[in-house]
Amino acid sequence: MLDTLMSVDEAIFTRRTCRKFRKDPVSPETLTKIIDAARYAPSSCNLQLWDFVLVNDPETKAEVAEETRYVHLAPVSLFVSYGNNYTRENYAWVQSAAAAIQNMMLMAHSLGVASCWVDTLGDVDRVRRILGLPAEREILALVLFGYPELIPKAPRRRAIDILLHYDKYKGRLNWPSSDDPEEWTLEQIRDFQMAKIRNGARYNKPVPSERDAVLEALGEFVHVQDGRWLDVLPLTGLYTEEIASRYPKVDLTFAEMTDQVFEFVQDRAPRTLRHELYPDAFHEGPEGYDVMSLIFRLEGYPRDERRQYLTTMRRRIKDDGQLFLAFVNRRSYHRPLRWMRGRIGHSGVEYALAPDPSLGPFKAATPGEIRADLHATGWRVRDRRHFFAVPPSDEIEFRAGRKGRKVKLAGQALTRISQLLQPVGPVLGPVARVHAWDVIPA
Ligand SMILES: Cc1cc2nc3c(=O)[nH]c(=O)nc-3n(C[C@H](O)[C@H](O)[C@H](O)COP(=O)(O)O)c2cc1C
């Protein structure tokens, strides 16, 4: 009999999702104890219609890996299926399977074994067929087990007073599902950002070619050595970090909406930065800035709001100052890409197609719209660069990455087409996805 190492209390509060496992195997005895914990989970009508498939055979694993590469991450890959044709009411079958998964993960943790609950399974019907499961045994998840190489920091949790309601729901968090900022208030955008930050947004990564393109344009347009720089609403601070290290002598301030985001941006910056609260401190803030930056942030706010901050920015910049602006052009492959993602269910704010991984609504703009906003708020465009008339190969790889075989094959075809079109890229400027503009006071 294996002894567990911790109390229920400790197991619940210290379990973490692990995504980096050591290669050492998990003994059959330990695995049996983990599966045993699943058997004792509650199930709707006590039907216990779960079946677990442990994938060990290298050939089967390779085939399954065409749909989900997660199977290569850990020594143990366990697929969880549940009978879907008895208790569909209120998703009782899903609830039952989830209870079993949670039992297994807690038991594993108490035995020193780390785990990861995975729903990124590609074409799940194909996985089911590869594993020989009948149609009525639907796969819900893959659970990875193994000894941990790296345990991530605990993501913050929503506070009890926000999520617990007495008698009637009095929720303070209420977000639209749409990714169109026109449907959001500033307060909702702010709350959503806080929630996402709490969930550890720092683990997300941008597409490298996109980041490099923006930095290339920044280097071409902005040559200051020192002076004052205001980075407006940088959100994750991806570019604030770059500005702080590429322009080490500038006095850099960023404007954001919450303490949580301040902390998040400051954490990744190489030096201590000033910050000011948006909107109040920002709109009342001092003048005299040499440079301002607004990088993929016009697209995240309602149009009235962005005209307001462009107006304030104009007031606060020196007459010979400059604004570095980058945005995603809606009249580009952005539109079909967004449509295709919608077809596989990746739509709405949770999947907003923003360059810096999305922490809120995002609607790509047209150059005409942006020009009109700038014109109306006292700015004019001095120079411009554009990038990616066709998707760069790392973006295709990034998007197709863990999505399954069909998407990957489509991605490979697209990579070939985009390589063929590369030479004509420069003349396709108007339909390029990323635009970077050098903007000055009018
Ligand atoms: C239904 C479900 C699906 C998940 N799918 C994935 C996944 O596909 N990939 C992944 O890395 N993590 C996945 N996770 C893990 C969550 O990201 C993780 O539980 C969350 O960030 C909280 O972290 P914690 O488990 O360490 O508390 C999933 C979790 C659940 C409950």
Side-chain angles (χ1 to χ4, degrees):
M1 182 75 179
L2 279 171
D3 285 332
T4 54
L5 302 174
M6 52 183 81
S7 64
V8 172
D9 195 74
E10 191 184 351
I12 288 175
F13 292 119
T14 63
R15 178 207 56 81
R16 284 281 69 75
T17 288
C18 173
R19 297 180 183 87
K20 215 163 181 186
F21 295 88
R22 299 207 311 258
K23 293 223 172 347
D24 338 6
V26 178
S27 74
E29 197 190 5
T30 304
L31 261 181
T32 306
K33 181 141 188 178
I34 292 171
I35 310 282
D36 203 20
R39 292 199 306 136
Y40 282 84
S43 66
S44 171
C45 301
N46 191 26
L47 287 177
Q48 304 177 35
L49 293 178
W50 36 58
D51 279 285
F52 306 98
V53 183
L54 199 54
V55 178
N56 285 328
D57 167 48
E59 259 177 49
T60 311
K61 198 174 250 190
E63 218 180 331
V64 171
E66 288 175 7
E67 297 302 332
T68 174
R69 281 190 283 175
Y70 275 94
V71 287
H72 289 316
L73 285 192
V76 179
S77 294
L78 185 79
F79 283 88
V80 178
S81 76
Y82 200 90
N84 62 9
N85 53 1
Y86 294 93
T87 45
R88 287 203 90 90
E89 190 183 5
N90 278 327
Y91 306 98
W93 64 290
V94 178
Q95 297 186 44
S96 308
I101 294 171
Q102 181 71 355
N103 263 16
M104 288 193 286
M105 290 172 71
L106 290 176
M107 177 59 82
H109 179 50
S110 77
L111 294 164
V113 174
S115 61
C116 182
W117 182 330
V118 178
D119 65 1
T120 314
L121 301 178
D123 180 347
V124 78
D125 261 344
R126 178 163 178 255
V127 177
R128 182 183 55 72
R129 287 193 301 273
I130 295 169
L131 301 182
L133 284 157
E136 70 254 31
R137 278 290 188 271
E138 208 160 316
I139 294 181
L140 285 120
L142 159 68
V143 189
L144 305 176
F145 295 103
Y147 292 96
E149 169 90 40
L150 185 81
I151 303 271
K153 233 168 89 180
R156 289 187 217 171
R157 257 45 197 188
R158 290 172 65 202
I160 291 188
D161 63 342
I162 291 179
L163 54 86
L164 177 64
H165 312 275
Y166 294 95
D167 303 318
K168 287 215 161 54
Y169 173 72
K170 298 179 191 72
R172 281 189 265 144
L173 296 177
N174 174 20
W175 307 309
S177 57
S178 159
D179 60 355
D180 184 347
E182 294 300 333
E183 293 178 30
W184 290 64
T185 64
L186 199 58
E187 287 66 36
Q188 288 170 328
I189 294 175
R190 194 182 55 203
D191 280 347
F192 189 77
Q193 288 175 358
M194 279 197 286
K196 293 297 255 186
I197 294 278
R198 201 171 36 226
N199 283 342
R202 72 191 66 226
Y203 302 122
N204 290 337
K205 292 193 181 64
V207 178
S209 61
E210 203 164 59
R211 186 200 50 212
D212 293 348
V214 171
L215 294 177
E216 181 190 317
L218 184 70
E220 273 182 53
F221 290 156
V222 185
H223 298 286
V224 295
Q225 299 297 325
D226 44 31
R228 297 173 67 202
W229 186 316
L230 181 63
D231 191 26
V232 180
L233 299 168
L235 196 44
T236 69
L238 170 68
Y239 291 102
T240 320
E241 175 187 0
E242 297 286 351
I243 294 166
S245 56
R246 275 154 199 259
Y247 299 88
K249 298 226 176 71
V250 298
D251 179 359
L252 180 57
T253 304
F254 65 94
E256 254 307 341
M257 291 200 278
T258 60
D259 287 344
Q260 282 88 339
V261 178
F262 285 159
E263 198 185 306
F264 188 77
V265 174
Q266 183 57 68
D267 257 12
R268 69 189 299 173
R271 58 192 163 96
T272 307
L273 308 177
R274 293 176 206 274
H275 57 250
E276 57 183 39
L277 199 62
Y278 184 92
D280 294 352
F282 168 83
H283 284 303
E284 288 154 20
E287 300 170 8
Y289 281 88
D290 299 277
V291 185
M292 292 187 180
S293 44
L294 187 58
I295 304 178
F296 300 129
R297 302 307 302 138
L298 280 171
E299 303 93 316
Y301 293 84
R303 199 146 183 212
D304 282 351
E305 190 70 37
R306 73 195 200 202
R307 286 202 173 193
Q308 280 176 38
Y309 59 67
L310 282 169
T311 304
T312 296
M313 288 162 71
R314 173 65 191 90
R315 175 184 68 74
R316 297 181 62 186
I317 196 135
K318 284 183 180 166
D319 284 341
D320 60 351
Q322 69 179 127
L323 160 65
F324 178 79
L325 182 73
F327 66 93
V328 171
N329 176 15
R330 191 159 74 238
R331 301 229 168 91
S332 66
Y333 69 83
H334 178 87
R335 209 169 359 194
L337 179 61
R338 186 168 171 275
W339 178 82
M340 281 190 301
R341 280 162 46 97
R343 301 264 302 171
I344 57 165
H346 288 188
S347 57
V349 67
E350 199 54 38
Y351 293 98
L353 188 51
D356 190 2
S358 176
L359 301 186
F362 186 92
K363 185 177 183 200
T366 64
E369 248 170 62
I370 305 277
R371 248 193 323 269
D373 286 347
L374 291 171
H375 181 73
T377 52
W379 298 91
R380 86 180 165 80
V381 183
R382 178 166 62 180
D383 202 354
R384 60 191 81 195
R385 296 279 177 279
H386 33 70
F387 304 90
F388 313 124
V390 290
S393 52
D394 61 346
E395 170 156 24
I396 299 170
E397 168 68 17
F398 179 83
R399 307 266 170 229
R402 290 180 174 169
K403 299 275 169 7
R405 199 174 54 119
K406 279 187 207 149
V407 178
K408 238 177 283 173
L409 288 176
Q412 282 159 5
L414 199 57
T415 302
R416 272 196 293 279
I417 295 170
S418 77
Q419 279 160 351
L420 288 173
L421 284 172
Q422 215 78 51
V424 290
V427 293
L428 295 176
V431 294
R433 179 162 186 256
V434 172
H435 286 230
W437 289 1
D438 179 26
V439 178
I440 54 173

